[in-house]
Amino acid sequence: MDSPANSLDGMSADSSAEFPDQAAIMEMRLQRHEDEITLLKASLANALRRIHLHDQLLPLLKQQLIAVNPGAAQVINHVCCSEGCASSRKWSTSSTGEGNLHPAPSQLSDGIMTNMNGHILNSMSVKSSPKPATMDKSTQTEPSSSVQTTRQDKVHVSRQAHSLQLEDALPPGKPVVDGTRAKLYRIPGLEEEDEVQEEYEEGRAKQEKKINWMTSVEAPCQSTVVAGLQKEDLQDGRCSPEEMGCGSSPGRTSDRNVVSRAATLGPIQEGEAKSLVRRHSEKVGNPERQRKPLDKRAASSASLLTRSQSLENRAKEMIASAGSPGSKRGTYTQGQSIKMFIRGRPITMYIPSNIQNYEDLKMELPSERLELDWVYGYRGRDCRANLYFLPTGEAVYFIACVIVLYHINNRTQRHYRKHTDCVRCLTLHPDKVRVASGQTSGVDKDGKPQHPCVYIWDSTTLVTLQQIGLGTFQKGVGSVAFSYADSGAFLCVIDDSNEHMLSVWECKKGTKHAEIKSTNEAVFAAEFNPVDSNNIITCGKSHVYFWTLSTGQFTKKQGIFGKYKKPKFILCFLFSLTGEVLTGDSEGNILTWGKSAADVKTLGKGAKETLQIMRQTKAHEGSVFTLCALQGGALLSGGGKDRKIIHWSADLAPERECEIPEIYGAVRTIAVVNDEELLVGTTRNAILRGAFSDGFVAIVQGHVDEMWGLATHPDQNIFLTCAHDRQVCLWNTEEHKLDWCITLEEYGLCADFCPNGSVVSVGLCTGRWMVLDLMTREVVSESTDGNEQLSVMRYSPDGSFLAVGSHDNFIYIYSVTESGRRYTRFGRCNGHSSFITHLDWSKDGKYIMSNSGDYEILYWDIASGCKLLRNRFESRDREWASYTCVLGFHVIGVWLEGSDGTDINALCRSHSERVVAVADDFCKVHLFQYPCPKPKAPSYKYSGHGSHVTNVCFTHSDSHLLSMGGKDACILQWSVTGGDVGNSRERLTSVSSASTSSPEPVTC
């Protein structure tokens, strides 16, 4: 196989160009050889696996049969001692040189035989009869004699034997007494092997459809296991005695595929495994189309080859753990496990022993509820004019889907939550009570579009007064503005469509008054002329438009820059007391616009007056992001690069200025509180309060970029967050403020507090992690595991170990000493085939349960050296100190039907073990009863986030739940209300015998 590859590698560019056909042919041949090797490896691994497993399981099956019916021992002994068993262990080798083994002629002996799955079947005598020839892509058979069955069973079987029943081992006519019926059960943990086999067989069937070849394959022979012959095979003539091992001439075995399904076979040495031989190819498909499925099969076969060597030891462990016949630890029925499917992959989970009637479990809504208590953050990074001060002493602003009314003196919040997606713009009515807010468009969990709209609502009562434009706007609402001359009778709206449609609506009726396409360029602001509601101004990328509305029709005039440099962006504007328009642009200038006579030389005769720049004033270094009018004609301007706030007189003479700290970013918007005090919104999502004389302090702060890391303190009302903005922040849930914030060199993705509460560990995106002291904020320890991002950090309950889950598929275990300040590598958990997503410690601190990106559930014995527990059945009754794994028996009900595996990002069980909170990919937080082990469990659903919810976590006392959005950079703090006293395990046991229909989920 190496020579074709080497010849291809050594081929020069000139020869490839000269002989393109030969190069293509050689490449196709090489690909075909690789495909053959892949399938050969998979077949060999599968045969070895079956041989080892069945060789170890047959004694246990016999032991269980004798336990349920001692009379069956005589039948088994009769079979094993029969002359047919001894004479059937002769083998003849084909003389064709293919190396295929064929059973020697023998007669089927009376007694019990086991089929390929280990089930016991009755024997039967057969007679030959003609059988038509068959032909398919993988096998060829020549005409042979068919068979007829004769009922000469020593053990009476009245149906096709798929499993062993107690009555199968009883003499004919003997009644079955109630209570003695039993089955042979499968061994726990074997279903995962069956799942791999099913995936392999399905993939192989698909591959055979793409590559049409003929093979000579024999069924793998099982040691001490006799393949069972089904009655239907004999009756319909699909099998002949020759094919069952009655003999065949050497000259004929090379031309057909001999399938041995019912011969009594002896043990096979490891070196006698049958091979898959490819004779010739009839046709070959596109190699590129074959590569993807074959690569997948190759990975599967490699896994089988790796695991096949340990299957014998695994079978011995399962037999040793089986205990006495009838032991529940070693046997289970289908009623003791449940499978769920994600993207077609089966995931088996075992039912705890305290649940007697799984089907009768009743899933109810939790008695606890959530109420939005506090919103951390402000959206200033990409929105403008979104901060206003109300006469009630409240600052109104928005983040995610929530509009916050924050009382700056009382430090309380109220929330308007009518919006279903991210709020993009905000404006205040002339009466200082009504507010209009617009949102962006989105999609629901089913992929259906959610149309944007504008809500007009009362800031005092939070009652929605009018809904504007539902189904009219496209993509979202970018700007809104009330008219002033007529006391706010009209509302101007510009959407985010490609044409940026400009529309005017009548507020009371909610009807459209006029509409027009504005421009294909970005639009940043729109306002009515304060003295004339028929005049509207819009500005944006390289333009200022002056609109006139007459009888429902718009006319547009474009501002003329003339001799002045045309800026790239016009970012903001306002109206002066003299009727002039002042704009701030990306060049740092304040431009004064006014009307002037038309230039006849330039525009021609008959040209009307134009709007031109009358004056240019240099205001800031960098952009002018905002302009704010003051009483008496004075104004304020906020700069970008220089972060300055400048107070200007009515004739644009600078009077005072101040600079905000760099950590808060540039000035985004300004709201006036009184003659001295201001509120300033910044580009780093902070709101500052202060004056020119006293400086500014932050009253609202938040992250700037996507957030993932969240951890709550074990005994204090504080929590820690980390995000892609490289900030690590510690928050206080009682005072609703930021305690401290540090900036790292790399951004963090996960965090966890040490149980003693003195330090916190933070996992970073590069595989590095560090431990911070909460008091000094200093790094007390740091280490690096791999070079890929870390996804989870979790301390053991007693704080003696730290588990670090990485995207390199490993879980690194560290022993912790000196009160969380010293860390020593203890071991590494190696077994996952994809990146680690979640993990939890058992209450005794000895075991770990983990999930991975390919939906695996694995269990690890840490105390025994990070050993992978092969038999997952043994972990069904283990109690977990926390429950954050999204896959597990106790949280099956959180998954909706049709979920693709990424719909749930995180979950967290309360410390009382009564409820579980779920963060999904559709901007929702769910609250389920815990445990919820049945599909379609009801839940309460809560809105507020405008992006995928990345994490949820309960505080130490379960009084609050914290949820964090991804791109919306929003942290929501929910109060947990209601709830009854009780233990979740007692509740689960008590309801396991009850049966009522589950209520429909309630949406809040």
Side-chain angles (χ1 to χ4, degrees):
M1 293 301 298
D2 294 335
S3 58
N6 294 335
S7 63
L8 284 176
D9 294 339
M11 187 178 295
S12 64
D14 295 337
S15 62
S16 298
E18 186 176 358
F19 304 105
D21 295 337
Q22 295 182 7
I25 292 173
M26 295 178 67
E27 188 174 346
M28 291 179 63
R29 289 178 58 189
L30 178 61
Q31 180 62 43
R32 290 199 298 268
H33 288 314
E34 293 177 353
D35 298 343
E36 292 178 33
I37 292 175
T38 299
L39 293 178
L40 286 169
K41 288 181 179 180
S43 300
L44 178 60
N46 181 51
L48 292 174
R49 182 179 69 86
R50 289 290 183 178
I51 289 172
H52 284 289
L53 283 181
H54 288 290
D55 192 34
Q56 298 297 328
L57 296 181
L58 186 63
L60 180 60
L61 295 174
K62 291 180 180 179
Q63 182 183 8
Q64 293 177 344
L65 176 62
I66 296 173
V68 298
N69 182 19
Q74 299 178 358
V75 180
I76 295 176
N77 293 333
H78 178 76
V79 175
C80 296
C81 297
S82 62
E83 295 179 357
C85 290
S87 62
S88 63
R89 298 179 182 179
K90 298 178 181 179
W91 292 83
S92 62
T93 305
S94 175
S95 61
T96 59
E98 295 178 0
N100 296 333
L101 299 178
H102 303 282
S106 63
Q107 295 180 351
L108 295 178
S109 61
D110 295 338
I112 298 178
M113 297 184 295
T114 58
N115 64 6
M116 298 289 291
N117 295 324
H119 302 309
I120 296 181
L121 303 176
N122 62 310
S123 63
M124 53 192 71
S125 60
V126 297
K127 294 182 180 181
S128 299
S129 62
K131 176 184 176 183
T134 61
M135 179 74 70
D136 59 21
K137 297 179 181 179
S138 60
T139 62
Q140 297 181 10
T141 62
E142 296 181 356
S144 61
S145 58
S146 63
V147 295
Q148 298 178 356
T149 61
T150 304
R151 305 280 309 238
Q152 296 180 357
D153 308 336
K154 289 189 177 182
V155 179
H156 177 71
V157 178
S158 60
R159 63 190 178 279
Q160 180 179 347
H162 292 285
S163 61
L164 181 66
Q165 305 290 342
L166 177 61
E167 57 267 28
D168 294 339
L170 295 177
K174 185 174 180 178
V176 179
V177 182
D178 294 340
T180 63
R181 190 179 306 273
K183 278 190 176 183
L184 287 182
Y185 303 113
R186 300 172 62 193
I187 303 303
L190 288 184
E191 63 286 319
E192 60 182 348
E193 300 292 341
D194 295 336
E195 294 167 5
V196 174
Q197 174 65 8
E198 291 173 2
E199 293 178 358
Y200 158 74
E201 292 176 351
E202 292 175 0
R204 182 177 175 183
K206 294 179 180 178
Q207 181 63 19
E208 289 179 350
K209 292 181 180 179
K210 296 181 179 180
I211 304 178
N212 184 13
W213 57 15
M214 300 178 62
T215 59
S216 176
V217 185
E218 292 189 5
C221 300
Q222 315 296 330
S223 59
T224 70
V225 178
V226 184
L229 178 66
Q230 304 294 339
K231 294 182 181 179
E232 290 78 6
D233 294 340
L234 297 174
Q235 293 172 352
D236 61 10
R238 289 180 296 179
C239 185
S240 64
E242 288 80 1
E243 292 175 312
M244 291 157 40
C246 296
S248 59
S249 62
R252 298 179 62 184
T253 55
S254 61
D255 296 331
R256 69 175 185 169
N257 186 25
V258 181
V259 180
S260 176
R261 299 186 58 189
T264 308
L265 307 179
I268 303 176
Q269 301 299 325
E270 292 184 1
E272 297 176 348
K274 299 180 187 298
S275 61
L276 175 67
V277 180
R278 174 181 171 180
R279 296 184 174 178
H280 62 276
S281 297
E282 293 181 353
K283 62 179 181 178
V284 179
N286 186 356
E288 293 300 325
R289 295 177 59 186
Q290 299 165 11
R291 182 177 298 274
K292 185 174 181 181
L294 285 172
D295 289 345
K296 183 177 180 181
R297 298 276 72 76
S300 177
S301 63
S303 176
L304 286 171
L305 288 169
T306 303
R307 297 165 66 183
S308 61
Q309 298 178 358
S310 62
L311 289 176
E312 183 176 1
N313 294 333
R314 178 181 173 185
K316 291 180 179 179
E317 292 176 1
M318 290 187 292
I319 293 174
S321 65
S324 59
S327 172
K328 291 183 179 180
R329 298 283 292 181
T331 62
Y332 69 95
T333 65
Q334 293 180 353
Q336 288 179 302
S337 68
I338 184 172
K339 283 187 179 181
M340 65 177 291
F341 292 82
I342 296 181
R343 288 188 175 179
R345 175 168 184 167
I347 303 173
T348 303
M349 286 161 280
Y350 300 101
I351 302 175
S353 59
N354 65 323
I355 301 179
Q356 303 301 323
N357 300 306
Y358 173 78
E359 296 299 332
D360 295 336
L361 283 178
K362 179 178 62 174
M363 295 293 98
E364 297 179 341
L365 288 166
S367 55
E368 292 83 354
R369 296 285 191 98
L370 299 181
E371 294 181 357
L372 185 58
D373 176 50
W374 200 264
V375 177
Y376 298 89
Y378 155 76
R379 184 168 182 173
R381 55 179 176 172
D382 59 355
C383 292
R384 299 167 175 81
N386 60 348
L387 175 63
Y388 295 89
F389 186 74
L390 302 177
T392 57
E394 295 171 309
V396 55
Y397 58 93
F398 61 77
I399 184 173
C401 302
V402 183
I403 300 177
V404 181
L405 294 90
Y406 173 60
H407 200 289
I408 62 175
N409 294 325
N410 299 339
R411 298 183 58 83
T412 58
Q413 282 186 356
R414 296 187 297 142
H415 311 104
Y416 179 77
R417 300 174 55 197
K418 185 70 173 179
H419 288 282
T420 58
D421 214 305
C422 285
V423 183
R424 288 291 310 278
C425 54
L426 188 71
T427 189
L428 188 61
H429 195 273
D431 63 8
K432 304 296 183 181
V433 175
R434 283 176 282 179
V435 177
S437 53
Q439 70 175 55
T440 187
S441 62
V443 294
D444 59 13
K445 64 179 181 179
D446 298 323
K448 298 180 181 179
Q450 293 179 333
H451 299 290
C453 64
V454 175
Y455 288 108
I456 301 175
W457 47 279
D458 190 305
S459 63
T460 304
T461 62
L462 301 181
V463 174
T464 302
L465 305 176
Q466 191 65 257
Q467 185 184 47
I468 301 292
L470 181 64
T472 301
F473 308 124
Q474 297 182 18
K475 295 185 179 181
V477 179
S479 299
V480 289
F482 282 108
S483 60
Y484 280 78
D486 48 17
S487 301
F490 293 96
L491 180 72
C492 172
V493 181
I494 294 182
D495 68 9
D496 288 331
S497 64
N498 295 334
E499 295 81 11
H500 295 93
M501 301 298 296
L502 169 63
S503 57
V504 175
W505 301 76
E506 191 173 349
C507 296
K508 289 186 178 180
K509 297 180 180 180
T511 57
K512 188 190 301 182
H513 186 62
E515 184 179 37
I516 192 174
K517 296 179 181 179
S518 63
T519 178
N520 290 330
E521 302 291 350
V523 179
F524 298 144
E527 287 286 349
F528 282 95
N529 190 316
V531 297
D532 187 358
S533 297
N534 291 322
N535 291 332
I536 300 174
I537 297 179
T538 63
C539 68
K541 183 178 180 180
S542 302
H543 75 269
V544 178
Y545 291 146
F546 299 84
W547 304 86
T548 301
L549 179 61
S550 177
T551 64
Q553 298 295 325
F554 280 105
T555 57
K556 178 178 70 173
K557 289 185 180 182
Q558 184 172 358
I560 306 299
F561 290 91
K563 63 180 181 180
Y564 298 97
K565 180 182 177 181
K566 188 176 184 179
K568 187 175 182 179
F569 297 104
I570 304 295
L571 300 171
C572 56
F573 67 90
L574 59 77
F575 293 90
S576 68
L577 295 180
T578 60
E580 295 175 330
V581 177
L582 306 178
T583 62
D585 58 38
S586 56
E587 300 295 329
N589 297 319
I590 297 178
L591 302 178
T592 304
W593 298 78
K595 295 180 180 181
S596 64
D599 187 353
V600 178
K601 294 182 180 180
T602 304
L603 303 178
K605 295 182 180 180
K608 299 180 180 179
E609 63 181 8
T610 59
L611 294 162
Q612 297 182 356
I613 300 175
M614 309 300 293
R615 180 183 177 185
Q616 177 178 287
T617 304
K618 183 62 176 179
H620 292 274
E621 180 183 356
S623 300
V624 180
F625 279 146
T626 184
L627 294 173
C628 178
L630 300 175
Q631 293 182 355
L635 60 92
L636 299 172
S637 65
K641 187 176 181 180
D642 59 10
R643 307 186 312 280
K644 289 183 179 180
I645 302 174
I646 302 178
H647 185 283
W648 303 85
S649 64
D651 58 354
L652 291 181
E655 295 181 345
R656 288 186 295 177
E657 68 176 46
C658 68
E659 182 178 333
I660 66 174
E662 184 179 1
I663 60 174
Y664 300 127
V667 178
R668 177 63 76 185
T669 186
I670 300 174
V672 178
V673 176
N674 51 43
D675 293 339
E676 291 293 330
E677 201 168 17
L678 303 174
L679 295 178
V680 180
T682 73
T683 56
R684 293 193 63 83
N685 293 352
I687 297 178
L688 311 180
R689 180 184 181 183
F692 283 97
S693 57
D694 301 330
F696 292 86
V697 296
I699 59 174
V700 175
Q701 289 179 267
H703 282 282
V704 184
D705 209 342
E706 186 172 2
M707 301 184 297
W708 281 93
L710 173 65
T712 55
H713 196 275
D715 51 33
Q716 297 181 29
N717 293 319
I718 56 177
F719 66 96
L720 182 135
T721 59
C722 50
H724 286 192
D725 57 9
R726 299 187 293 113
Q727 290 186 345
V728 176
C729 301
L730 187 70
W731 309 82
N732 192 305
T733 60
E734 287 185 337
E735 300 180 7
H736 306 121
K737 68 180 184 67
L738 180 65
D739 283 349
W740 55 258
C741 177
I742 63 173
T743 302
L744 306 177
E745 296 179 358
E746 304 146 358
Y747 64 84
L749 291 168
C750 52
D752 193 35
F753 283 91
C754 184
N756 62 24
S758 61
V759 296
V760 61
S761 61
V762 180
L764 308 180
C765 61
T766 58
R768 189 164 67 100
W769 56 272
M770 58 182 59
V771 181
L772 303 174
D773 186 285
L774 291 183
M775 298 300 295
T776 64
R777 312 177 199 175
E778 296 180 352
V779 178
V780 298
S781 179
E782 64 178 319
S783 182
T784 301
D785 292 310
N787 56 3
E788 297 191 42
Q789 68 184 42
L790 304 180
S791 52
V792 57
M793 310 284 289
R794 189 80 65 218
Y795 283 93
S796 61
D798 59 357
S800 59
F801 290 102
L802 172 66
V804 181
S806 172
H807 268 229
D808 63 6
N809 305 354
F810 299 125
I811 301 175
Y812 301 90
I813 307 298
Y814 285 83
S815 60
V816 184
T817 55
E818 299 180 9
S819 300
R821 296 176 178 272
R822 181 178 178 84
Y823 295 80
T824 305
R825 173 76 73 85
F826 177 80
R828 186 180 71 173
C829 299
N830 180 9
H832 275 293
S833 55
S834 184
F835 58 90
I836 312 302
T837 58
H838 308 85
L839 65 85
D840 293 292
W841 286 90
S842 61
K843 290 186 176 180
D844 57 12
K846 297 180 180 180
Y847 302 92
I848 282 180
M849 170 176 59
S850 59
N851 292 167
S852 60
D854 58 352
Y855 323 125
E856 277 186 324
I857 308 174
L858 296 185
Y859 300 90
W860 311 87
D861 187 347
I862 304 303
S864 300
C866 304
K867 178 182 177 183
L868 174 63
L869 299 178
R870 297 285 183 179
N871 190 358
R872 294 185 286 114
F873 179 80
E874 296 179 349
S875 300
R876 63 173 185 161
D877 290 329
R878 192 159 286 128
E879 296 185 3
W880 303 100
S882 62
Y883 210 115
T884 61
C885 288
V886 298
L887 295 174
F889 172 79
H890 295 83
V891 292
I892 293 176
V894 306
W895 290 92
L896 298 177
E897 187 175 357
S899 298
D900 69 349
T902 61
D903 292 344
I904 294 179
N905 297 315
L907 62 79
C908 181
R909 183 192 67 190
S910 64
H911 298 87
S912 64
E913 301 186 13
R914 294 187 49 82
V915 293
V916 59
V918 175
D920 72 12
D921 231 18
F922 309 105
C923 315
K924 299 295 187 296
V925 175
H926 299 259
L927 193 66
F928 289 86
Q929 171 188 284
Y930 180 86
C932 50
K934 296 192 70 175
K936 300 181 180 179
S939 70
Y940 293 113
K941 184 169 59 177
Y942 300 91
S943 304
H945 286 287
S947 177
H948 53 288
V949 185
T950 57
N951 216 332
V952 288
C953 195
F954 285 94
T955 57
H956 71 97
S957 61
D958 291 338
S959 60
H960 293 86
L961 173 73
L962 297 159
S963 64
M964 61 194 317
K967 294 293 186 179
D968 63 16
C970 174
I971 305 172
L972 301 183
Q973 179 175 312
W974 308 83
S975 296
V976 182
T977 61
D980 301 325
V981 179
N983 183 272
S984 62
R985 292 179 59 85
E986 296 176 356
R987 182 171 67 250
L988 180 59
T989 305
S990 64
V991 302
S992 64
S993 60
S995 177
T996 59
S997 60
S998 299
E1000 291 295 325
V1002 176
T1003 303
C1004 295

